[in-house]
Amino acid sequence: MKYYVVDAFAEKSFEGNPAAICVLDEWPPDDAMQKIAMENNLSETAFTVKQGDGYRLRWFTPSEEIDLCGHATLATAYVIANFIEPDRKVIPFQTASGVLVVTRKGDFYELDFPSYELNPTPVTDEISAALGICPLEAYLGRDLLCILEDQEQVFTANPDQSKLTELDGLLVHITAKGTKYDCVSRSFAPKLGVAEDPVCGSGHCHIIPFWAKRLEKHILTARQASRRGGTLYCELKNDRVLLRGKAVLYAMGEIVATL
């Protein structure tokens, strides 16, 4: 099985978010895909199979399959556009979150993703204890979104991973208004076996709707302030979030294990 490792939302290698991409002729068993994702031990391993004019796409963390992933979708589009169908500019993916279209625009890849509805939720003692800081506000979509006072709090936060698993939501995102960027954020996913996601595309389907409303602008530049770091060029269009970023190939190889 051929596979690629791609740094997504990255300008150069060793930044952004690495994802392993497997382009297949047919689906292996689900437990085999989960074992591969566990062995890769990246935040996401994506598997894709040609389907009609597009592709079927699935995403696995080291612990389970998930319903939406931005960086691995960008990475998959990068692999298809550069190694599978090099003249392809528009790639529709059939996914658990519906049809997701990625458009190649020069060196950038634009993801058309659904936005999450955010519902205010109380800032509890449990949230403050897990984050090690009391957020100004909290909202719940698929994930828990916590608004901090300034970007320095985002940069220096050191959450308690075990306590994060006790909070509502699949992932936990912390965010604040930026100085160089419209907003900065970090994303934590211990429930999925990922302590900190280096750059979280689906997380920005929470983050961008919030900041677009708060800043009264629909085009924003977002920075994920993880150790690797990554920049996302975002646009809120009604109930959709457009995420633009670059990608860099890190490695390619062959999985030879018997599945």
Side-chain angles (χ1 to χ4, degrees):
M1 181 189 299
K2 188 75 173 285
Y3 79 100
Y4 307 78
V5 178
V6 176
D7 292 334
F9 297 113
E11 303 279 341
K12 60 183 185 294
S13 295
F14 308 113
E15 69 175 20
N17 201 350
I21 310 302
C22 301
V23 183
L24 311 169
D25 294 324
E26 59 184 22
W27 295 107
D30 285 6
D31 67 327
M33 290 190 284
Q34 186 61 69
K35 287 176 181 176
I36 291 170
M38 186 182 302
E39 186 78 5
N40 289 338
N41 200 32
L42 297 171
S43 60
E44 305 292 343
T45 296
F47 300 87
T48 190
V49 172
K50 180 78 172 177
Q51 181 175 298
D53 189 46
Y55 290 81
R56 178 74 181 176
L57 178 62
R58 296 171 67 182
W59 311 279
F60 287 78
T61 75
S63 64
E64 64 183 80
E65 185 175 8
I66 62 169
D67 66 338
L68 186 65
C69 175
H71 82 279
T73 303
L74 190 160
T76 305
Y78 171 89
V79 169
I80 291 170
N82 286 276
F83 302 102
I84 311 300
E85 297 186 64
D87 295 328
R88 192 89 186 239
K89 300 297 183 186
V90 179
I91 306 170
F93 292 106
Q94 186 66 239
T95 77
S97 291
V99 177
L100 305 176
V101 177
V102 181
T103 304
R104 184 176 185 175
K105 297 184 174 181
D107 292 335
F108 284 88
Y109 295 82
E110 179 182 272
L111 288 64
D112 184 344
F113 270 30
S115 64
Y116 285 99
E117 180 180 354
L118 299 176
N119 298 300
T121 191
V123 175
T124 62
D125 291 341
E126 289 76 15
I127 291 176
S128 298
L131 296 180
I133 190 170
C134 183
L136 301 176
E137 307 167 59
Y139 297 85
L140 193 61
R142 181 198 69 177
D143 306 335
L144 180 64
L145 177 67
C146 297
I147 315 303
L148 303 189
E149 184 174 349
D150 56 46
Q151 65 177 25
E152 191 62 30
Q153 290 184 335
V154 176
F155 298 155
T156 59
N158 185 25
D160 184 311
Q161 295 288 324
S162 63
K163 290 181 179 179
L164 289 178
T165 63
E166 300 171 3
L167 302 181
D168 291 335
L170 186 61
L171 284 77
V172 178
H173 310 288
I174 57 175
T175 185
K177 184 179 178 181
T179 53
K180 182 178 177 181
Y181 304 93
D182 289 303
C183 59
V184 298
S185 63
R186 290 170 65 193
S187 301
F188 306 94
K191 291 179 183 179
L192 300 174
V194 179
E196 180 169 0
D197 199 17
V199 184
C200 188
S202 62
H204 281 79
C205 295
H206 299 72
I207 295 163
I208 294 305
F210 173 83
W211 285 112
K213 182 177 181 180
R214 182 61 54 91
L215 300 176
E216 298 183 334
K217 56 192 300 187
H218 67 280
I219 296 176
L220 302 95
T221 302
R223 181 69 180 177
Q224 193 98 46
S226 65
R227 182 177 58 83
R228 292 175 63 99
T231 302
L232 305 91
Y233 303 90
C234 311
E235 181 177 355
L236 182 66
K237 297 186 73 172
N238 299 316
D239 62 346
R240 308 293 294 184
V241 177
L242 303 183
L243 305 172
R244 302 180 187 94
K246 295 182 179 181
V248 181
L249 180 68
Y250 170 70
M252 63 174 67
E254 195 81 23
I255 295 173
V256 299
T258 302
L259 303 180

